[in-house]
């Protein structure tokens, strides 16, 4: 019914930049909140940034001033621009979206498969 496909993960040196993308597809009626989460080895999944349908954003303290979340509603896509990357940003990054599907009208939370970001020191 709905798929979230992430891209953009890579190996980068500390201080570098990456841009993650997540495109939603399927029988979508509307997309409400969208966000990025990450999970490092041996740690719990944590919120990185969220953006609601009105464009309001929220960031984890650890990424404020370095990461920027944005969305293109026409493309059902959310982005995460990551600058000044640090080794501690190394994790699998997951896209999440609160989506209402068309038939029947049903609202649920969906996750992407994850994309690996590795920051070398």
């Amino acid at each position: 019914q709905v798929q979230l496909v992430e891209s953009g993960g890579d190996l980068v040196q500390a201080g570098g930049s990456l841009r993650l993308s997540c495109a939603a597809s399927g029988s979508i009626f509307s997309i409400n909140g969208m966000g990025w989460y990450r999970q490092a080895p041996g740690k719990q999944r944590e919120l990185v940034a969220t953006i609601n349908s009105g464009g309001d954003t929220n960031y984890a303290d650890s990424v404020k001033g370095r990461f920027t979340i944005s969305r293109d509603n026409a493309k059902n896509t959310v982005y995460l621009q990551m600058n000044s990357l640090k080794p501690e940003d190394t994790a699998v990054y997951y896209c999440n979206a609160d989506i209402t599907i068309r038939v029947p009208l049903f609202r649920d939370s969906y996750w992407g498969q994850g994309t690996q970001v590795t920051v070398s020191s």
Side-chain angles (χ1 to χ4, degrees):
Q1 288 176 330
V2 172
Q3 274 194 316
L4 299 181
V5 178
E6 299 123 331
S7 61
D10 205 344
L11 170 64
V12 64
Q13 287 189 332
S17 298
L18 283 175
R19 188 192 195 207
L20 305 183
S21 300
C22 172
S25 62
S27 183
I28 297 171
F29 177 75
S30 65
I31 301 179
N32 308 296
M34 303 183 83
W36 289 94
Y37 293 72
R38 67 187 181 186
Q39 187 166 17
K43 295 188 176 181
Q44 288 188 331
R45 190 173 298 188
E46 63 176 5
L47 179 147
V48 176
T50 61
I51 183 167
N52 66 16
S53 57
D56 296 323
T57 59
N58 179 54
Y59 296 92
D61 288 343
S62 59
V63 306
K64 281 181 181 176
R66 300 187 298 122
F67 291 9
T68 301
I69 189 171
S70 61
R71 62 191 284 175
D72 184 334
N73 292 328
K75 295 181 178 179
N76 290 338
T77 299
V78 63
Y79 305 96
L80 185 69
Q81 178 66 44
M82 304 186 294
N83 299 326
S84 302
L85 282 160
K86 304 175 181 180
E88 50 263 45
D89 294 317
T90 295
V92 177
Y93 283 70
Y94 295 92
C95 172
N96 174 262
D98 180 3
I99 296 174
T100 299
I101 63 171
R102 290 186 179 279
V103 182
L105 279 179
F106 179 73
R107 181 172 175 172
D108 204 355
S109 178
Y110 295 86
W111 291 90
Q113 80 287 354
T115 185
Q116 177 70 47
V117 172
T118 303
V119 184
S120 64
S121 57

